Amino acid sequence: MFMKAFLVALIAGICKIDNRVFGMTMIQRPLIVGTLVGFIYGNPVEGMIIGAQFELLSMGLVGIGAHSGMPEITLGSALCTGFVLGSGTGTEVALALALPISTFGTTIGYLTWIPLNHLLSERAKSAAERGDAKTMEICQWMGLFNYFFFPFLVVLLGMLVGAPLFEYLIRVIPTFITDGIKVASNMLPALGFALLMQLTYNRELAPFLFVGFVIVAFLGMSNVGVAIIGAILAVLIFNFSDRGNKEVSVDVDEI
């Protein structure tokens, strides 16, 4: 139990420092985090499915500005995937808990690693004014350590304390409540799409949305087939628009 909790926390910590070490490889996204946690429990396919559901939920969640509190989807997906695979329950309850857990992770961040890194950045600025490169280097490494250690600690404690509590709640919660949670959780991926549409929807793109809806609703095509058709349409539009934007060269002797 402890070893699996430790490995899940280690995955969360490494994924959390992705953009600070690896150059934004997107391993902090729920799809990747869920798959990696699935490997810990010997079920990567189920982990990928759970991560994909969290990904749908979080597609429209973006942080705009330095102080916008975007939910900690990395920590939330690691904890919820660990809860589901560790207890052997369905994904519905965990999906319903994904946003509350992620929001709690954001709150912990604003109480721990974010203010600590602010203090370190201020100290690094003062060291830069003095030309103290050694202190600047220490502050940089300490900031990286904060962004790894505290998420690691949050997930480790969550797995050790929260997983048994999660299993207990699944056993004692009445069936009609869990059934209601399942119905509500099935709507959450649609909510993620709706949030994403608020950012991208306009009159130029609306026809493509309805084309995809018609293909799925009336032809029964899978998401992969729709994605392939979308890619083909994107290539055609790019080719035709690029052809129309080419400048026509005129020889002076022809005038």
Side-chain angles (χ1 to χ4, degrees), residues 1-18 21-22 27-28 32-41 74-75 77-79 82 144-160:
M1 175 62 185
F2 177 80
M3 181 56 63
K4 289 184 177 179
F6 176 83
L7 292 176
V8 171
L10 185 64
I11 288 173
I14 294 175
C15 292
K16 186 62 184 172
I17 61 173
D18 168 41
V21 177
F22 307 113
I27 62 173
Q28 82 278 14
I32 305 300
V33 176
T35 304
L36 294 176
V37 174
F39 276 108
I40 300 301
Y41 286 89
T74 302
L75 307 189
S77 56
L79 282 170
L144 179 63
F145 175 77
N146 286 339
Y147 266 81
F148 168 82
F149 175 73
F150 286 103
F152 168 84
L153 185 62
V154 168
V155 175
L156 180 63
L157 293 178
M159 289 297 300
L160 294 177

Side-chain angles (χ1 to χ4, degrees), residues 81-164:
T81 306
F83 290 166
V84 171
L85 297 181
S87 62
T89 58
T91 63
E92 293 84 1
V93 178
L95 188 61
L97 294 175
L99 280 182
I101 291 176
S102 300
T103 304
F104 175 74
T106 302
T107 303
I108 296 297
Y110 276 105
L111 294 175
T112 54
W113 65 84
I114 293 177
L116 286 175
N117 269 34
H118 177 71
L119 295 175
L120 289 171
S121 65
E122 291 297 322
R123 184 174 181 182
K125 287 168 60 179
S126 300
E129 294 175 356
R130 301 191 306 269
D132 187 355
K134 185 65 175 179
T135 301
M136 292 173 59
E137 182 179 355
I138 293 174
C139 291
Q140 292 293 328
W141 284 108
M142 286 297 297
L144 179 63
F145 175 77
N146 286 339
Y147 266 81
F148 168 82
F149 175 73
F150 286 103
F152 168 84
L153 185 62
V154 168
V155 175
L156 180 63
L157 293 178
M159 289 297 300
L160 294 177
V161 178

Side-chain angles (χ1 to χ4, degrees), residues 23-73:
M24 190 66 78
T25 62
M26 292 298 171
I27 62 173
Q28 82 278 14
R29 298 299 304 180
L31 180 62
I32 305 300
V33 176
T35 304
L36 294 176
V37 174
F39 276 108
I40 300 301
Y41 286 89
N43 197 345
V45 175
E46 186 69 19
M48 182 183 297
I49 294 173
I50 298 171
Q53 291 180 306
F54 293 154
E55 194 74 57
L56 291 176
L57 175 60
S58 62
M59 284 176 66
L61 300 176
V62 295
I64 301 174
H67 300 286
S68 57
M70 179 182 175
E72 276 290 347
I73 55 176

Side-chain angles (χ1 to χ4, degrees), residues 219-233:
L219 300 181
M221 186 175 292
S222 66
N223 292 337
V224 176
V226 175
I228 294 173
I229 292 177
I232 294 172
L233 290 175

